[in-house]
């Protein structure tokens, strides 16, 4: 049976509500926690002792998940335009990741050793103009990729949110030049959000950090 627009919208709301309720019950700051958990349960990216950079981290549910999974000995650096409540084991940086000053602060927090894993759940403020939202999403993913070129160790991994649409294939190709393995993940908690996907890139090639 072909789904009508209304039943699709209902389904999307229903999925959304389910994860919102679960997040509340389990103490996660947002339902986004389930997206990272699903990706990580499948691919086992987070390991004890890792240094992780979490971009677009507010309100902090990915940071909550990551900090748990990298203990003992792990360190997380979380960046967002918005302020975040502190999390033990995390350094919080407030500012625009596109600005040099914020990049400098992240580099200082890394204290000279490259990250093992870079996560980005950054999303543009939606203007409602599809073309410009799409371009902005690609731009944020490109910023993340540039950061990995400089501050991710060889053999390290990246997870980046990006909207599927114009520029997606080019971005994926650019990622494939830096990483040996690139795959698209669409976690269940993300299903309500039509264009949102995650590119998971593993095993950064040598020659960089
Ligand atoms: C979907 S939310 C992230 C949710 C988060 N992963 C969590 O689990 O709580 C996207 C975030 O990206 C942030 N963001 C968007 N553009 C940014 C930028 N240029 N620099 C830093 N953060 C940015 C927004 O402020 C927003 O908090």
């Amino acid at each position: 049976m072909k789904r009508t627009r209304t039943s699709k919208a209902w389904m999307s709301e229903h999925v959304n509500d389910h994860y919102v309720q679960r997040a509340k019950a389990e103490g996660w700051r947002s339902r986004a926690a389930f997206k990272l958990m699903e990706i990580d349960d499948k691919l086992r990216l987070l390991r004890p002792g890792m240094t992780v950079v979490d971009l677009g981290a507010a309100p902090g549910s990915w940071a909550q998940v990551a900090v748990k999974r990298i203990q003992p000995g792990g360190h997380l650096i979380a960046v967002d335009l918005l302020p975040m409540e502190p999390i033990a084991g995390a350094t919080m940086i407030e500012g625009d990741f596109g600005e040099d000053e914020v990049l400098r602060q992240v580099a200082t927090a890394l204290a000279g050793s490259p990250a093992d894993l870079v996560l980005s759940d950054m999303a543009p403020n939606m203007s409602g103009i599809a073309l410009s939202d799409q371009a902005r999403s690609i731009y944020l993913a490109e910023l993340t990729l540039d950061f990995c070129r400089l501050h991710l160790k060889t053999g390290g991994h990246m997870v980046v949110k990006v909207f599927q649409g114009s520029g997606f294939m080019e971005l994926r190709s650019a990622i494939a030049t830096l990483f040996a393995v690139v795959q698209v993940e669409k976690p269940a908690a993300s299903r309500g959000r039509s264009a949102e996907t995650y590119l998971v890139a593993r095993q950064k090639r040598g020659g960089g950090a």
Side-chain angles (χ1 to χ4, degrees):
M1 195 182 78
K2 211 174 136 196
R3 271 208 194 131
T4 63
R5 242 186 130 68
T6 324
S7 83
K8 258 195 211 154
W10 181 85
M11 198 48 166
S12 150
E13 274 310 301
H14 181 70
V15 169
N16 203 12
D17 284 354
H18 164 76
Y19 285 108
V20 170
Q21 294 310 321
R22 252 187 84 187
K24 255 189 213 148
E26 294 176 21
W28 304 112
R29 292 183 185 180
S30 94
R31 66 185 185 85
F34 299 107
K35 303 179 195 174
L36 180 61
M37 282 192 271
E38 186 178 323
I39 292 171
D40 190 52
D41 287 346
K42 182 173 170 190
L43 300 171
R44 303 271 166 216
L45 304 171
L46 292 159
R47 295 183 185 275
M50 275 186 162
T51 297
V52 178
V53 175
D54 178 13
L55 304 172
S61 69
W62 279 30
Q64 287 177 298
V65 171
V67 151
K68 272 208 165 102
R69 295 185 179 199
I70 61 178
Q71 296 315 331
H75 178 212
L76 183 121
I77 300 158
V79 182
D80 205 287
L81 290 165
L82 305 172
M84 280 171 280
E85 292 294 323
I87 294 176
T91 301
M92 307 295 198
I93 296 171
E94 187 182 330
D96 183 341
F97 186 65
E99 287 181 3
D100 289 345
E101 171 50 28
V102 173
L103 268 172
R104 262 195 295 277
Q105 287 181 43
V106 179
T108 304
L110 281 170
S113 22
D116 299 292
L117 173 66
V118 172
L119 306 171
S120 171
D121 198 21
M122 283 191 289
N125 264 334
M126 301 300 276
S127 68
I129 302 162
L131 263 181
S132 105
D133 291 339
Q134 178 64 26
R136 188 85 192 139
S137 164
I138 297 285
Y139 168 71
L140 291 172
E142 283 170 351
L143 280 182
T144 306
L145 182 60
D146 283 345
F147 179 79
C148 289
R149 285 198 179 93
L150 291 176
H151 296 291
L152 179 68
K153 73 171 192 192
T154 299
H157 311 311
M158 170 184 81
V159 178
V160 62
K161 170 153 79 186
V162 65
F163 300 161
Q164 219 150 7
S166 170
F168 180 85
M169 292 314 290
E170 292 82 352
L171 174 75
R172 192 184 167 146
S173 302
I175 293 175
T177 64
L178 191 66
F179 292 88
V181 185
V182 186
Q183 68 197 78
V184 180
E185 291 293 329
K186 178 88 180 158
S190 187
R191 281 196 194 131
R193 315 246 157 192
S194 50
E196 173 184 291
T197 60
Y198 292 87
L199 282 166
V200 181
R202 283 179 288 165
Q203 296 158 35
K204 184 186 169 190
R205 299 178 199 276

